[in-house]
Amino acid sequence: MADSTTLARPLALHWQQPGPRLFAAIKGSLFLVCLLPLAQLAWHILSGAAVNPIEDLTHGSGTWTLRFLLITLCVSPLRALGAPGWLLRLRRMLGLYAFFYACLHLLTYLWLDQFFDWAAIVRDIVKRPFITVGMLAFVLLLPLAITSTDGWIRRLKRNWGKLHRLVYVIAPLGVLHYLWLVKRDLQSPLIYAAILAALLLWRVWRYLRPTLAARVK
Amino acid sequence: MFPCEITTMLIKTLTDRLSAADITPQEVYLNRRQFMAGSAGLLLPVSAIAALPAAKSPLSTSEKPNSRDDITSYNNYYEFGTGKDEPALYAQRLKTRPWTVTVDGEVAHARTFDIDSLLKMKLQERIYRLRCVEGWSMVIPWIGFPLADLLKQVQPTSRAKYVAFETALRPGEMPGVARRVLDWPYREGLRIDEAMHPLTILAVGLYGEVLPKQNGAPVRLVVPWKYGFKSIKSISRIHLLEKQPPTSWNMAAPNEYGFYSNVNPAVDHPRWSQATERRIGEFFKRKTLPFNGYGDQVAGLYRGMDLRRNF
């Protein structure tokens, strides 16, 4: 018993406080892991396995944008469940990957779907609700990506946190975009909607908890 | 720089894919398949490899058909799942023998046809464009016979104004029907003059062989000037009637899918444009043609009709 605690404790400490070199290694690995979906997409398309490669690129980049948004939103709940604090220091990269896949998604649409026919693109944005909300989500994502640097965090001080709460709007718009474009089978977008709802409801609960507790007293 | 690389890669892949199809002529391809089938003869049922002799038809397009791989691995057949790759994976469990097609309703001689008798009809190759409502298209070398040839045998009565089609419903063999994505069985319909039109065929084959299961074996409808979903697969019943029959996609979303569903670049799907399409295997998009390019032959069927209202 005594042995196991003495053995486990330094390990646990180690887990909680990785040294700068270990943290850099973790961060580097995560960076590469986040590129795997892109690599998989590229391989799928370049190997010639895709019958409709542009559709696969559109769907793949869109799906991974949503996934990275949801993964980013998982960090706080995981922290509350006892995950180590340094997880927070990786969140910026996860958010920027959501932006990266969103850029790929948008570029695929602008280029390979519309071939930069701006008149058609504007018509699409105005006329088709799923494109309107998708575009809105991307536009809202822009300031978050721009202000993700240390410099902007310092400059914006408390407002930085407020600004980055925009993700609570962006993620639902993203899911709505998916929900509205599906032809008939809503199963997949509804799974994303359910996960997002759980992540947002947890935040509502956390926000209201002190008030609720006070009222009970 | 990054996007440039992607395009170069894409163009390269697409041209690679095209040239790969180019250098394998159909006959060589078929021989190779027959060779493979021969060497695996113990494993494959004879019906799966039976070659179908068919006459050429002046109604075929001269455009280059998509590869057999493209046609048989990218399918919409919701009875086997809503993913494009799912029909190829799951349709193989559909038992297409024995199979009958019952033709009844407003006819003088209602009859149930065995699939073998349908395979003995005078078969033709019809190379048709297929335009999916989702915005992609292919060129497909079907083998079949005019639906009119079948309907003439049962002699429609003067009250036969419409033709209703039904896909077989086999929950044990169709994993997709466990979820009510559509109101099963899949149903489609045509006006009698559309059904009797020489371009309208019942297909029993593809690329010189019997129809692969993911493409709607053993017998399916092909109406090349309408969106693909009108061309109902694995037909078990054809019913002639006086009133316009209910059809699956129209029942599911009446504001999005009309009874006629003629290919029409001027009438958008409420959620996406129908002005252009991506031909599978091509990089740039094409302009979609009215009636999918079959306007000369079929526009007359709709003279005087408002095609925006009757979409």
Side-chain angles (χ1 to χ4, degrees):
Chain A
M1 197 63 201
D3 275 351
S4 68
T5 42
T6 45
L7 265 177
R9 282 214 61 162
L11 263 178
L13 275 176
H14 196 61
W15 172 245
Q16 282 177 2
Q17 225 82 58
R21 287 176 77 186
L22 180 59
F23 186 72
I26 292 171
K27 206 170 162 182
S29 316
L30 184 65
F31 182 85
L32 292 177
V33 167
C34 293
L35 280 173
L36 285 179
L38 180 69
Q40 194 259 328
L41 256 177
W43 170 249
H44 170 69
I45 290 168
L46 296 175
S47 67
V51 175
N52 194 346
I54 293 164
E55 178 183 71
D56 292 341
L57 186 60
T58 310
H59 291 174
S61 57
T63 303
W64 280 102
T65 305
L66 272 184
R67 285 177 187 170
F68 273 104
L69 280 172
L70 294 184
I71 291 169
T72 310
L73 285 172
C74 283
V75 173
S76 289
L78 283 177
R79 277 278 291 125
L81 286 170
W86 53 264
L87 217 55
L88 272 177
R89 288 160 63 197
L90 297 171
R91 189 167 58 180
R92 165 162 52 188
M93 190 183 357
L94 296 169
L96 282 171
Y97 263 111
F99 180 67
F100 169 73
Y101 283 101
C103 288
L104 191 61
H105 186 60
L106 179 66
L107 190 68
T108 311
Y109 164 74
L110 295 177
W111 185 3
L112 304 176
D113 206 36
Q114 297 288 3
F115 292 94
F116 300 114
D117 179 347
W118 297 107
I121 291 163
V122 169
R123 265 203 307 280
D124 245 9
I125 296 172
V126 174
K127 203 173 162 186
R128 318 205 183 282
F130 84 94
I131 296 193
T132 316
V133 297
M135 204 61 79
L136 183 61
F138 181 81
V139 169
L140 293 177
L141 207 49
L142 274 173
L144 304 203
I146 292 166
T147 61
S148 65
T149 61
D150 290 337
W152 274 106
I153 295 173
R154 251 182 284 114
R155 246 170 284 164
L156 288 175
K157 300 193 179 87
R158 292 192 146 200
N159 290 326
W160 188 88
K162 281 186 197 155
L163 175 68
H164 280 247
R165 272 183 220 145
L166 269 179
V167 70
Y168 302 143
V169 179
I170 294 164
L173 286 175
V175 171
L176 201 58
H177 168 68
Y178 187 15
L179 203 66
W180 280 350
L181 73 86
V182 162
K183 200 167 103 188
R184 182 69 191 161
D185 186 2
L186 297 179
Q187 189 180 57
S188 176
L190 286 177
I191 290 170
Y192 283 87
I195 295 169
L196 176 67
L199 291 169
L200 293 182
L201 282 173
W202 175 80
R203 286 168 167 85
V204 172
W205 171 76
R206 186 185 54 168
Y207 180 75
L208 292 178
R209 199 175 39 173
T211 333
L212 291 174
R215 211 175 279 173
V216 169
K217 272 178 199 166
Chain B
M1 173 196 155
F2 168 67
C4 295
E5 273 173 13
I6 293 251
T7 350
T8 334
M9 292 189 303
L10 269 174
I11 292 173
K12 193 178 172 309
T13 327
L14 290 169
T15 43
D16 281 355
R17 285 161 46 78
L18 280 176
S19 51
D22 279 338
I23 50 175
T24 313
Q26 186 190 335
E27 310 82 66
V28 176
Y29 183 75
L30 291 177
N31 285 340
R32 199 192 295 156
R33 278 188 61 80
Q34 275 156 6
F35 167 75
M36 276 158 54
S39 50
L42 290 173
L43 300 171
L44 285 172
V46 178
S47 64
I49 51 154
L52 289 179
K56 300 249 180 267
S57 164
L59 294 171
S60 287
T61 170
S62 56
E63 289 168 84
K64 204 182 103 54
N66 282 86
S67 71
R68 192 183 194 279
D69 265 358
D70 283 352
I71 297 168
T72 57
S73 60
Y74 189 77
N75 307 97
N76 275 325
Y77 196 167
Y78 278 17
E79 282 84 340
F80 297 100
T82 55
K84 291 280 187 298
D85 53 345
E86 286 179 302
L89 289 171
Y90 304 123
Q92 308 317 319
R93 59 180 83 163
L94 179 71
K95 291 189 189 77
T96 53
R97 294 291 178 111
W99 192 279
T100 57
V101 181
T102 300
V103 188
D104 60 6
E106 291 294 344
V107 295
H109 305 291
R111 230 180 106 179
T112 293
F113 293 87
D114 189 82
I115 187 61
D116 284 314
S117 66
L118 296 183
L119 286 164
K120 285 187 197 113
M121 301 280 287
K122 256 181 98 179
L123 300 181
Q124 303 171 25
E125 183 186 55
R126 294 281 181 97
I127 307 173
Y128 280 164
R129 291 177 292 275
L130 179 139
R131 167 63 155 81
C132 179
V133 75
E134 295 165 352
W136 53 268
S137 63
M138 291 195 194
V139 176
I140 304 179
W142 302 110
I143 288 175
F145 54 87
L147 174 61
D149 288 0
L150 186 82
L151 294 181
K152 279 172 199 156
Q153 291 191 29
V154 295
Q155 294 178 20
T157 69
S158 60
R159 275 180 305 184
K161 300 278 196 298
Y162 291 92
V163 186
F165 304 84
E166 220 174 271
T167 296
L169 180 58
R170 307 255 187 92
E173 298 163 27
M174 297 174 156
V177 301
R179 291 176 49 223
R180 281 181 69 91
V181 182
L182 292 168
D183 186 3
W184 314 112
Y186 194 88
R187 277 157 278 183
E188 258 311 333
L190 295 173
R191 225 167 50 188
I192 189 79
D193 55 344
E194 298 175 324
M196 298 299 284
H197 194 279
L199 280 172
T200 304
I201 61 165
L202 285 179
V204 292
L206 169 76
Y207 258 127
E209 297 173 22
V210 297
L211 206 56
K213 292 180 177 180
Q214 59 269 40
N215 295 88
V219 57
R220 66 169 289 168
L221 183 69
V222 178
V223 195
W225 71 92
K226 292 173 180 284
Y227 292 117
F229 68 87
K230 292 293 290 183
S231 294
I232 184 170
K233 301 182 174 82
S234 307
I235 298 168
S236 64
R237 186 172 177 225
I238 299 175
H239 188 71
L240 287 87
L241 66 175
E242 197 168 7
K243 293 221 167 73
Q244 182 178 303
T247 58
S248 289
W249 280 98
N250 180 250
M251 287 190 284
N255 59 323
E256 301 192 2
Y257 309 98
F259 174 80
Y260 287 96
S261 288
N262 294 318
V263 174
N264 191 344
V267 177
D268 283 350
H269 182 279
R271 289 185 286 151
W272 55 80
S273 163
Q274 295 290 27
T276 60
E277 67 198 53
R278 174 160 278 120
R279 175 71 53 83
I280 294 301
E282 290 183 353
F283 181 72
F284 291 105
K285 283 184 150 185
R286 289 167 175 254
K287 284 210 176 335
T288 290
L289 301 171
F291 300 109
N292 201 22
Y294 297 96
D296 287 350
Q297 291 109 302
V298 300
L301 296 173
Y302 310 101
R303 199 152 288 143
M305 274 177 74
D306 180 355
L307 294 177
R308 288 191 166 272
R309 283 184 55 208
N310 298 287
F311 60 89

PDB file of all heavy atoms in Angstrom, chain B residues 36-65:
ATOM      1  N   MET B  36     -11.848 -13.411 -64.241  1.00  0.00           N
ATOM      2  CA  MET B  36     -11.877 -13.473 -62.791  1.00  0.00           C
ATOM      3  C   MET B  36     -13.039 -14.336 -62.320  1.00  0.00           C
ATOM      4  O   MET B  36     -12.913 -15.154 -61.427  1.00  0.00           O
ATOM      5  CB  MET B  36     -12.006 -12.069 -62.203  1.00  0.00           C
ATOM      6  CG  MET B  36     -10.688 -11.357 -62.068  1.00  0.00           C
ATOM      7  SD  MET B  36     -10.873  -9.582 -62.007  1.00  0.00           S
ATOM      8  CE  MET B  36     -12.035  -9.404 -60.687  1.00  0.00           C
ATOM      9  N   ALA B  37     -14.188 -14.130 -62.963  1.00  0.00           N
ATOM     10  CA  ALA B  37     -15.366 -14.899 -62.578  1.00  0.00           C
ATOM     11  C   ALA B  37     -15.109 -16.374 -62.834  1.00  0.00           C
ATOM     12  O   ALA B  37     -15.485 -17.233 -62.049  1.00  0.00           O
ATOM     13  CB  ALA B  37     -16.574 -14.404 -63.356  1.00  0.00           C
ATOM     14  N   GLY B  38     -14.425 -16.651 -63.962  1.00  0.00           N
ATOM     15  CA  GLY B  38     -14.137 -18.032 -64.298  1.00  0.00           C
ATOM     16  C   GLY B  38     -13.254 -18.685 -63.247  1.00  0.00           C
ATOM     17  O   GLY B  38     -13.540 -19.795 -62.800  1.00  0.00           O
ATOM     18  N   SER B  39     -12.251 -17.963 -62.822  1.00  0.00           N
ATOM     19  CA  SER B  39     -11.345 -18.555 -61.848  1.00  0.00           C
ATOM     20  C   SER B  39     -11.978 -18.642 -60.467  1.00  0.00           C
ATOM     21  O   SER B  39     -11.549 -19.417 -59.626  1.00  0.00           O
ATOM     22  CB  SER B  39     -10.042 -17.747 -61.785  1.00  0.00           C
ATOM     23  OG  SER B  39     -10.352 -16.385 -61.621  1.00  0.00           O
ATOM     24  N   ALA B  40     -13.002 -17.814 -60.261  1.00  0.00           N
ATOM     25  CA  ALA B  40     -13.678 -17.874 -58.963  1.00  0.00           C
ATOM     26  C   ALA B  40     -15.060 -18.484 -59.132  1.00  0.00           C
ATOM     27  O   ALA B  40     -15.956 -18.261 -58.338  1.00  0.00           O
ATOM     28  CB  ALA B  40     -13.779 -16.486 -58.362  1.00  0.00           C
ATOM     29  N   GLY B  41     -15.210 -19.258 -60.199  1.00  0.00           N
ATOM     30  CA  GLY B  41     -16.517 -19.763 -60.571  1.00  0.00           C
ATOM     31  C   GLY B  41     -17.254 -20.509 -59.474  1.00  0.00           C
ATOM     32  O   GLY B  41     -18.474 -20.498 -59.423  1.00  0.00           O
ATOM     33  N   LEU B  42     -16.499 -21.131 -58.595  1.00  0.00           N
ATOM     34  CA  LEU B  42     -17.136 -21.895 -57.530  1.00  0.00           C
ATOM     35  C   LEU B  42     -17.786 -20.981 -56.503  1.00  0.00           C
ATOM     36  O   LEU B  42     -18.696 -21.372 -55.801  1.00  0.00           O
ATOM     37  CB  LEU B  42     -16.110 -22.800 -56.855  1.00  0.00           C
ATOM     38  CG  LEU B  42     -15.627 -23.975 -57.712  1.00  0.00           C
ATOM     39  CD1 LEU B  42     -14.491 -24.707 -57.028  1.00  0.00           C
ATOM     40  CD2 LEU B  42     -16.784 -24.930 -58.008  1.00  0.00           C
ATOM     41  N   LEU B  43     -17.263 -19.747 -56.431  1.00  0.00           N
ATOM     42  CA  LEU B  43     -17.749 -18.840 -55.400  1.00  0.00           C
ATOM     43  C   LEU B  43     -18.924 -17.987 -55.875  1.00  0.00           C
ATOM     44  O   LEU B  43     -19.781 -17.625 -55.100  1.00  0.00           O
ATOM     45  CB  LEU B  43     -16.618 -17.907 -54.952  1.00  0.00           C
ATOM     46  CG  LEU B  43     -15.401 -18.606 -54.358  1.00  0.00           C
ATOM     47  CD1 LEU B  43     -14.266 -17.616 -54.159  1.00  0.00           C
ATOM     48  CD2 LEU B  43     -15.782 -19.258 -53.023  1.00  0.00           C
ATOM     49  N   LEU B  44     -18.922 -17.672 -57.183  1.00  0.00           N
ATOM     50  CA  LEU B  44     -19.936 -16.747 -57.672  1.00  0.00           C
ATOM     51  C   LEU B  44     -21.120 -17.484 -58.277  1.00  0.00           C
ATOM     52  O   LEU B  44     -20.929 -18.423 -59.048  1.00  0.00           O
ATOM     53  CB  LEU B  44     -19.333 -15.826 -58.748  1.00  0.00           C
ATOM     54  CG  LEU B  44     -18.416 -14.725 -58.241  1.00  0.00           C
ATOM     55  CD1 LEU B  44     -17.738 -14.039 -59.431  1.00  0.00           C
ATOM     56  CD2 LEU B  44     -19.202 -13.698 -57.441  1.00  0.00           C
ATOM     57  N   PRO B  45     -22.328 -17.052 -57.945  1.00  0.00           N
ATOM     58  CA  PRO B  45     -23.484 -17.634 -58.621  1.00  0.00           C
ATOM     59  C   PRO B  45     -23.452 -17.234 -60.086  1.00  0.00           C
ATOM     60  O   PRO B  45     -22.995 -16.156 -60.427  1.00  0.00           O
ATOM     61  CB  PRO B  45     -24.673 -17.005 -57.896  1.00  0.00           C
ATOM     62  CG  PRO B  45     -24.142 -15.775 -57.252  1.00  0.00           C
ATOM     63  CD  PRO B  45     -22.694 -16.021 -56.993  1.00  0.00           C
ATOM     64  N   VAL B  46     -23.925 -18.144 -60.950  1.00  0.00           N
ATOM     65  CA  VAL B  46     -23.849 -17.886 -62.385  1.00  0.00           C
ATOM     66  C   VAL B  46     -24.557 -16.580 -62.739  1.00  0.00           C
ATOM     67  O   VAL B  46     -24.081 -15.814 -63.559  1.00  0.00           O
ATOM     68  CB  VAL B  46     -24.477 -19.056 -63.163  1.00  0.00           C
ATOM     69  CG1 VAL B  46     -24.438 -18.778 -64.661  1.00  0.00           C
ATOM     70  CG2 VAL B  46     -23.722 -20.340 -62.850  1.00  0.00           C
ATOM     71  N   SER B  47     -25.689 -16.306 -62.077  1.00  0.00           N
ATOM     72  CA  SER B  47     -26.468 -15.124 -62.432  1.00  0.00           C
ATOM     73  C   SER B  47     -25.668 -13.845 -62.245  1.00  0.00           C
ATOM     74  O   SER B  47     -25.908 -12.857 -62.916  1.00  0.00           O
ATOM     75  CB  SER B  47     -27.733 -15.066 -61.583  1.00  0.00           C
ATOM     76  OG  SER B  47     -27.391 -14.911 -60.226  1.00  0.00           O
ATOM     77  N   ALA B  48     -24.696 -13.877 -61.353  1.00  0.00           N
ATOM     78  CA  ALA B  48     -23.953 -12.653 -61.056  1.00  0.00           C
ATOM     79  C   ALA B  48     -23.001 -12.281 -62.179  1.00  0.00           C
ATOM     80  O   ALA B  48     -22.536 -11.157 -62.234  1.00  0.00           O
ATOM     81  CB  ALA B  48     -23.187 -12.817 -59.749  1.00  0.00           C
ATOM     82  N   ILE B  49     -22.681 -13.220 -63.043  1.00  0.00           N
ATOM     83  CA  ILE B  49     -21.706 -12.898 -64.068  1.00  0.00           C
ATOM     84  C   ILE B  49     -22.276 -13.027 -65.475  1.00  0.00           C
ATOM     85  O   ILE B  49     -21.582 -12.802 -66.445  1.00  0.00           O
ATOM     86  CB  ILE B  49     -20.452 -13.805 -63.960  1.00  0.00           C
ATOM     87  CG1 ILE B  49     -20.875 -15.270 -63.904  1.00  0.00           C
ATOM     88  CG2 ILE B  49     -19.605 -13.442 -62.770  1.00  0.00           C
ATOM     89  CD1 ILE B  49     -19.820 -16.221 -64.398  1.00  0.00           C
ATOM     90  N   ALA B  50     -23.577 -13.370 -65.563  1.00  0.00           N
ATOM     91  CA  ALA B  50     -24.150 -13.624 -66.872  1.00  0.00           C
ATOM     92  C   ALA B  50     -24.036 -12.395 -67.760  1.00  0.00           C
ATOM     93  O   ALA B  50     -24.443 -11.319 -67.379  1.00  0.00           O
ATOM     94  CB  ALA B  50     -25.614 -14.031 -66.722  1.00  0.00           C
ATOM     95  N   ALA B  51     -23.442 -12.594 -68.929  1.00  0.00           N
ATOM     96  CA  ALA B  51     -23.362 -11.507 -69.890  1.00  0.00           C
ATOM     97  C   ALA B  51     -24.721 -11.361 -70.567  1.00  0.00           C
ATOM     98  O   ALA B  51     -25.427 -12.337 -70.773  1.00  0.00           O
ATOM     99  CB  ALA B  51     -22.280 -11.808 -70.911  1.00  0.00           C
ATOM    100  N   LEU B  52     -25.094 -10.124 -70.887  1.00  0.00           N
ATOM    101  CA  LEU B  52     -26.369  -9.885 -71.535  1.00  0.00           C
ATOM    102  C   LEU B  52     -26.129  -9.337 -72.932  1.00  0.00           C
ATOM    103  O   LEU B  52     -25.647  -8.225 -73.086  1.00  0.00           O
ATOM    104  CB  LEU B  52     -27.179  -8.847 -70.735  1.00  0.00           C
ATOM    105  CG  LEU B  52     -27.766  -9.254 -69.400  1.00  0.00           C
ATOM    106  CD1 LEU B  52     -28.498  -8.070 -68.795  1.00  0.00           C
ATOM    107  CD2 LEU B  52     -28.715 -10.426 -69.577  1.00  0.00           C
ATOM    108  N   PRO B  53     -26.457 -10.135 -73.960  1.00  0.00           N
ATOM    109  CA  PRO B  53     -26.314  -9.593 -75.310  1.00  0.00           C
ATOM    110  C   PRO B  53     -27.379  -8.540 -75.559  1.00  0.00           C
ATOM    111  O   PRO B  53     -28.536  -8.732 -75.186  1.00  0.00           O
ATOM    112  CB  PRO B  53     -26.519 -10.819 -76.202  1.00  0.00           C
ATOM    113  CG  PRO B  53     -27.182 -11.841 -75.350  1.00  0.00           C
ATOM    114  CD  PRO B  53     -27.029 -11.471 -73.911  1.00  0.00           C
ATOM    115  N   ALA B  54     -26.971  -7.404 -76.134  1.00  0.00           N
ATOM    116  CA  ALA B  54     -27.926  -6.322 -76.337  1.00  0.00           C
ATOM    117  C   ALA B  54     -27.585  -5.565 -77.608  1.00  0.00           C
ATOM    118  O   ALA B  54     -26.418  -5.384 -77.938  1.00  0.00           O
ATOM    119  CB  ALA B  54     -27.910  -5.372 -75.150  1.00  0.00           C
ATOM    120  N   ALA B  55     -28.622  -5.122 -78.302  1.00  0.00           N
ATOM    121  CA  ALA B  55     -28.431  -4.354 -79.526  1.00  0.00           C
ATOM    122  C   ALA B  55     -28.104  -2.908 -79.189  1.00  0.00           C
ATOM    123  O   ALA B  55     -28.524  -2.392 -78.160  1.00  0.00           O
ATOM    124  CB  ALA B  55     -29.704  -4.406 -80.365  1.00  0.00           C
ATOM    125  N   LYS B  56     -27.330  -2.265 -80.059  1.00  0.00           N
ATOM    126  CA  LYS B  56     -27.061  -0.839 -79.872  1.00  0.00           C
ATOM    127  C   LYS B  56     -28.334  -0.056 -80.189  1.00  0.00           C
ATOM    128  O   LYS B  56     -29.224  -0.548 -80.884  1.00  0.00           O
ATOM    129  CB  LYS B  56     -25.937  -0.391 -80.815  1.00  0.00           C
ATOM    130  CG  LYS B  56     -24.631  -1.135 -80.586  1.00  0.00           C
ATOM    131  CD  LYS B  56     -23.578  -0.196 -80.004  1.00  0.00           C
ATOM    132  CE  LYS B  56     -22.261  -0.904 -79.767  1.00  0.00           C
ATOM    133  NZ  LYS B  56     -22.156  -1.425 -78.379  1.00  0.00           N
ATOM    134  N   SER B  57     -28.412   1.176 -79.657  1.00  0.00           N
ATOM    135  CA  SER B  57     -29.610   1.966 -79.891  1.00  0.00           C
ATOM    136  C   SER B  57     -29.236   3.384 -80.318  1.00  0.00           C
ATOM    137  O   SER B  57     -28.304   3.975 -79.784  1.00  0.00           O
ATOM    138  CB  SER B  57     -30.438   2.040 -78.600  1.00  0.00           C
ATOM    139  OG  SER B  57     -31.383   3.084 -78.696  1.00  0.00           O
ATOM    140  N   PRO B  58     -29.975   3.928 -81.294  1.00  0.00           N
ATOM    141  CA  PRO B  58     -29.723   5.324 -81.698  1.00  0.00           C
ATOM    142  C   PRO B  58     -30.081   6.317 -80.585  1.00  0.00           C
ATOM    143  O   PRO B  58     -29.722   7.481 -80.671  1.00  0.00           O
ATOM    144  CB  PRO B  58     -30.637   5.507 -82.917  1.00  0.00           C
ATOM    145  CG  PRO B  58     -31.669   4.440 -82.794  1.00  0.00           C
ATOM    146  CD  PRO B  58     -31.040   3.287 -82.076  1.00  0.00           C
ATOM    147  N   LEU B  59     -30.778   5.841 -79.557  1.00  0.00           N
ATOM    148  CA  LEU B  59     -31.148   6.744 -78.456  1.00  0.00           C
ATOM    149  C   LEU B  59     -30.012   6.909 -77.451  1.00  0.00           C
ATOM    150  O   LEU B  59     -30.118   7.684 -76.509  1.00  0.00           O
ATOM    151  CB  LEU B  59     -32.408   6.221 -77.754  1.00  0.00           C
ATOM    152  CG  LEU B  59     -33.672   6.240 -78.632  1.00  0.00           C
ATOM    153  CD1 LEU B  59     -34.828   5.518 -77.957  1.00  0.00           C
ATOM    154  CD2 LEU B  59     -34.069   7.674 -78.967  1.00  0.00           C
ATOM    155  N   SER B  60     -28.913   6.155 -77.654  1.00  0.00           N
ATOM    156  CA  SER B  60     -27.771   6.289 -76.744  1.00  0.00           C
ATOM    157  C   SER B  60     -27.022   7.581 -77.015  1.00  0.00           C
ATOM    158  O   SER B  60     -26.955   8.049 -78.149  1.00  0.00           O
ATOM    159  CB  SER B  60     -26.796   5.121 -76.936  1.00  0.00           C
ATOM    160  OG  SER B  60     -27.343   3.943 -76.396  1.00  0.00           O
ATOM    161  N   THR B  61     -26.432   8.135 -75.959  1.00  0.00           N
ATOM    162  CA  THR B  61     -25.584   9.306 -76.130  1.00  0.00           C
ATOM    163  C   THR B  61     -24.198   8.844 -76.576  1.00  0.00           C
ATOM    164  O   THR B  61     -23.792   7.704 -76.306  1.00  0.00           O
ATOM    165  CB  THR B  61     -25.463  10.120 -74.828  1.00  0.00           C
ATOM    166  OG1 THR B  61     -24.448  11.113 -75.017  1.00  0.00           O
ATOM    167  CG2 THR B  61     -25.070   9.252 -73.646  1.00  0.00           C
ATOM    168  N   SER B  62     -23.489   9.733 -77.257  1.00  0.00           N
ATOM    169  CA  SER B  62     -22.120   9.384 -77.665  1.00  0.00           C
ATOM    170  C   SER B  62     -21.110   9.807 -76.603  1.00  0.00           C
ATOM    171  O   SER B  62     -19.914   9.627 -76.774  1.00  0.00           O
ATOM    172  CB  SER B  62     -21.799  10.074 -78.995  1.00  0.00           C
ATOM    173  OG  SER B  62     -21.996  11.461 -78.860  1.00  0.00           O
ATOM    174  N   GLU B  63     -21.600  10.394 -75.496  1.00  0.00           N
ATOM    175  CA  GLU B  63     -20.675  10.803 -74.426  1.00  0.00           C
ATOM    176  C   GLU B  63     -20.027   9.571 -73.801  1.00  0.00           C
ATOM    177  O   GLU B  63     -20.601   8.482 -73.807  1.00  0.00           O
ATOM    178  CB  GLU B  63     -21.440  11.593 -73.359  1.00  0.00           C
ATOM    179  CG  GLU B  63     -21.866  12.968 -73.832  1.00  0.00           C
ATOM    180  CD  GLU B  63     -22.865  13.597 -72.886  1.00  0.00           C
ATOM    181  OE1 GLU B  63     -22.447  14.198 -71.893  1.00  0.00           O
ATOM    182  OE2 GLU B  63     -24.080  13.461 -73.143  1.00  0.00           O
ATOM    183  N   LYS B  64     -18.864   9.807 -73.222  1.00  0.00           N
ATOM    184  CA  LYS B  64     -18.096   8.695 -72.664  1.00  0.00           C
ATOM    185  C   LYS B  64     -18.716   8.235 -71.342  1.00  0.00           C
ATOM    186  O   LYS B  64     -18.893   9.037 -70.425  1.00  0.00           O
ATOM    187  CB  LYS B  64     -16.667   9.153 -72.415  1.00  0.00           C
ATOM    188  CG  LYS B  64     -15.673   8.010 -72.390  1.00  0.00           C
ATOM    189  CD  LYS B  64     -14.285   8.551 -72.091  1.00  0.00           C
ATOM    190  CE  LYS B  64     -13.879   8.304 -70.659  1.00  0.00           C
ATOM    191  NZ  LYS B  64     -13.980   6.911 -70.238  1.00  0.00           N
ATOM    192  N   PRO B  65     -19.046   6.940 -71.231  1.00  0.00           N
ATOM    193  CA  PRO B  65     -19.641   6.469 -69.976  1.00  0.00           C
ATOM    194  C   PRO B  65     -18.657   6.558 -68.812  1.00  0.00           C
ATOM    195  O   PRO B  65     -17.448   6.488 -68.999  1.00  0.00           O
ATOM    196  CB  PRO B  65     -19.973   5.007 -70.264  1.00  0.00           C
ATOM    197  CG  PRO B  65     -19.946   4.863 -71.735  1.00  0.00           C
ATOM    198  CD  PRO B  65     -18.973   5.879 -72.240  1.00  0.00           C
TER     199      PRO B  65
END
